[in-house]
């Protein structure tokens, strides 16, 4: 959330009250993990899934042993949907036994989460002190109760690292060495961060744009050099095959494409139904998806550019990241890890602003992204669990509720993350300070700011 431009040069301290509140919130989150969805719960326990980490390992094994990445599923019926360059990195998972690889991955996820919060605080000009790091660690623990973050840990997902790469890279000074390389690497692993190339062009950060583009091209080149056949397959016909990711009309698909597909299913528009091998999937036609996504993407870019020109770099980057999740044909809940920097921004705004409703912002972010859960005891067992558990606001009950309520609840569940994105962009465009910082002024600020965010 925006703060006055004049405040950007100010240094902020973590007060005793802020630190105490963060520690209490972290403790509450740990208690929630123990009792709400017990850690030992079969399949749904925090450390009892890790399916995506298994897929990453299988991709690394395919590279290591010369097996095709894309011709057949790599782990049971799950296909490898990342780039050949990503598979090369995942070879690291094959160098140790699975239990050690999983433990190291979980530790890395938590370290990346703490680092992400710390980088956000640095970008907001908080002093680099022990209080700041304890606050960052406490806030990171609290954020594990967010659905995108819990799903990241539960599935062993990679998105937290991609968000960290982008935020760290683009909140550095404009003159920082190789600024843009983090974006290029992230896009080389997974295509969604490639949206930041558009963002960099729109904000006229041309040096970072060319470095990011060159880095991304280098990752593609490395893939072709080491895995030429897989690279030809991926870039020739697989990279845009959203059906390989999962059912487009899944409740967990919180992109524009997913929302529309869910609405087609809810209202049973049969002409958009496609019969698959195991079930019928409702698929959004391209024209409908683009008709809705295009104005929302333009809205997100407009808000990102305005935030950037006002000196709100972290806000600008966060908006661009949320816009990329909005545009992507398939955005699982854990793709919205961008709610972590959004939450930090909202807390900072509440702490530094004098507006009457300032605390409503972090509350709204928390309520939308929180891991609301619901047991379905009357349904068939799933995996080792006695019954399914819906995790996340979008997985709350849709069936067996009054029809009048379903017409309100189902559309809301289906786009709850999109609504938070839209609310954020509208707020920025409506309430961002009128004074804009021109590009030369932004560059001047960057030249007087070192890579740790300290004023020289």
């Amino acid at each position: 959330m925006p703060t006055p431009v004049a405040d950007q040069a100010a240094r902020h301290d973590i007060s005793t009250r802020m630190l105490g509140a963060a520690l209490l919130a972290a403790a509450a989150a740990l208690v929630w993990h123990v009792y709400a969805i017990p850690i030992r719960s079969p399949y749904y326990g925090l450390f009892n899934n890790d399916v995506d980490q298994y897929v990453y390992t299988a991709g690394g094994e395919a590279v290591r042993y010369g097996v095709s990445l894309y011709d057949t599923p790599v782990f049971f019926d799950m296909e490898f949907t990342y780039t050949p360059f990503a598979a090369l990195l995942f070879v690291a998972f094959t160098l140790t036994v699975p239990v050690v690889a999983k433990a190291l991955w979980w530790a890395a996820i938590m370290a990346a989460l703490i680092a992400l919060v710390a980088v956000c605080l640095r970008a907001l000009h908080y002093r680099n002190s022990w209080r700041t790091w304890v606050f960052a660690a406490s806030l990171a623990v609290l954020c594990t109760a967010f659905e995108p973050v819990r799903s990241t840990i539960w599935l062993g997902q990679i998105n937290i690292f991609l968000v960290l790469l982008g935020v760290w890279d683009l909140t550095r000074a404009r003159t920082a060495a190789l600024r843009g390389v983090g974006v290029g690497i992230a896009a080389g692993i997974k295509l969604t961060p490639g949206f930041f190339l558009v963002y960099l062009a729109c904000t006229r950060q041309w040096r970072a744009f060319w470095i990011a583009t060159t880095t991304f091209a280098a990752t593609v080149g490395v893939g072709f050099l080491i895995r030429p056949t897989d690279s030809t397959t991926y870039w020739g016909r697989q990279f845009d095959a959203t059906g390989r990711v999962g059912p487009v009309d899944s409740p967990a698909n919180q992109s524009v494409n997913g929302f529309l597909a869910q609405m087609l299913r809810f209202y049973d528009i049969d002409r958009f139904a496609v019969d698959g091998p195991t079930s019928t999937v409702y698929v959004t036609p391209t024209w409908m998806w683009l008709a809705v996504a295009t104005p929302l993407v333009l809205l997100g870019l407009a808000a990102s550019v305005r935030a950037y020109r006002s000196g709100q770099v972290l806000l600008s980057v966060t908006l661009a990241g949320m816009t990329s999740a909005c545009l992507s044909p398939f955005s699982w809940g854990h793709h919205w890890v961008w709610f972590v920097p959004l939450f930090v921004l909202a807390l900072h705004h509440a702490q530094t602003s004098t507006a009457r409703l300032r605390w409503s912002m972090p509350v709204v972010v928390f309520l939308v992204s929180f891991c609301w859960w619901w047991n379905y005891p009357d349904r068939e067992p799933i995996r080792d669990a006695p019954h399914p558990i819906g995790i996340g606001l979008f997985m709350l009950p849709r069936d067996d509720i009054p029809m009048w309520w379903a017409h309100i609840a189902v559309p809301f569940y289906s786009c709850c993350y999109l609504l938070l994105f839209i609310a954020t962009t509208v707020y920025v465009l409506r309430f961002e300070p009128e004074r804009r910082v021109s590009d030369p002024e932004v560059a001047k600020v960057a030249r007087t700011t070192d890579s740790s965010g300290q004023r020289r």
Side-chain angles (χ1 to χ4, degrees), residues 195 198-205 297-313 315-320 323 425 428-429 432 435-439 442:
F195 181 80
V198 178
Y199 162 76
L200 290 172
C202 289
T203 52
R204 299 181 180 180
Q205 301 180 66
V297 169
L298 293 176
L299 183 73
L301 283 173
S304 297
V305 170
R306 181 161 188 174
Y308 178 77
R309 291 179 177 174
S310 298
Q312 309 290 332
V313 179
L315 176 61
S316 178
V317 172
T318 301
L319 283 166
T323 305
T425 58
V428 170
L429 292 172
E432 186 68 26
R435 177 181 177 272
R436 293 189 176 187
V437 181
S438 65
D439 284 346
V442 171

Side-chain angles (χ1 to χ4, degrees), residues 52-324:
D52 285 332
Q53 196 269 338
Y54 284 122
V55 173
Y56 301 157
T57 302
E61 289 175 341
V63 170
R64 186 176 180 181
Y65 300 112
V67 179
S68 173
L69 280 168
Y70 305 110
D71 288 347
T72 59
V74 295
F75 182 72
F76 289 99
D77 60 344
M78 302 188 70
E79 300 187 56
F80 190 80
T81 59
Y82 292 76
T83 66
F85 176 75
L88 295 174
L89 300 180
F90 295 150
V91 170
F93 287 126
T94 71
L95 303 180
T96 185
V97 295
V99 64
V100 173
K102 290 200 297 183
L104 291 175
W105 191 237
W106 286 324
I109 288 173
M110 199 62 214
L113 182 60
I114 295 172
L116 175 60
V117 176
V119 168
C120 290
L121 293 174
R122 181 208 67 184
L124 293 171
H125 306 285
Y126 282 83
R127 297 184 191 280
N128 186 9
S129 66
W130 70 267
R131 281 175 171 264
T132 302
W133 280 100
V134 173
F135 182 78
S138 301
L139 210 57
V141 173
L142 172 61
C143 288
T144 62
F146 288 6
E147 184 279 328
V149 179
R150 188 193 187 276
S151 292
T152 293
I153 300 170
W154 183 52
L155 298 170
Q157 253 290 333
I158 197 174
N159 288 295
I160 187 71
F161 299 97
L162 305 182
V163 172
L164 174 59
L165 269 174
V167 173
W168 164 79
D169 193 20
L170 297 183
T171 57
R172 295 188 294 159
R174 281 188 60 153
T175 54
L178 295 179
R179 185 173 179 270
V181 70
V183 169
I185 293 173
I189 295 171
K190 191 171 185 176
L191 292 181
T192 306
F195 181 80
F196 277 97
L197 298 178
V198 178
Y199 162 76
L200 290 172
C202 289
T203 52
R204 299 181 180 180
Q205 301 180 66
W206 296 114
R207 179 172 172 269
F209 171 83
W210 289 115
I211 292 175
T213 302
T214 302
T215 304
F216 171 65
T219 67
V220 176
V222 169
F224 270 100
L225 181 65
I226 300 177
R227 301 286 293 188
T229 302
D230 283 330
S231 295
T232 300
T233 300
Y234 181 82
W235 296 106
R237 65 175 186 270
Q238 296 281 25
F239 76 96
D240 61 348
T242 56
R244 299 174 65 248
V245 179
V248 178
D249 58 358
S250 167
N253 186 2
Q254 285 290 299
S255 68
V256 169
N257 193 35
F259 165 67
L260 294 173
Q262 291 178 68
M263 291 298 93
L264 295 175
R265 171 177 284 279
F266 178 66
Y267 290 107
D268 199 20
I269 312 298
D270 288 337
R271 60 177 171 156
F272 299 114
V274 177
D275 292 327
T278 59
S279 62
T280 300
V281 177
Y282 286 74
V283 179
T284 309
T286 302
W287 64 265
M288 184 184 296
W289 167 45
L290 293 178
V292 178
T294 300
L296 290 182
V297 169
L298 293 176
L299 183 73
L301 283 173
S304 297
V305 170
R306 181 161 188 174
Y308 178 77
R309 291 179 177 174
S310 298
Q312 309 290 332
V313 179
L314 177 61
L315 176 61
S316 178
V317 172
T318 301
L319 283 166
M322 293 170 67
T323 305
S324 70

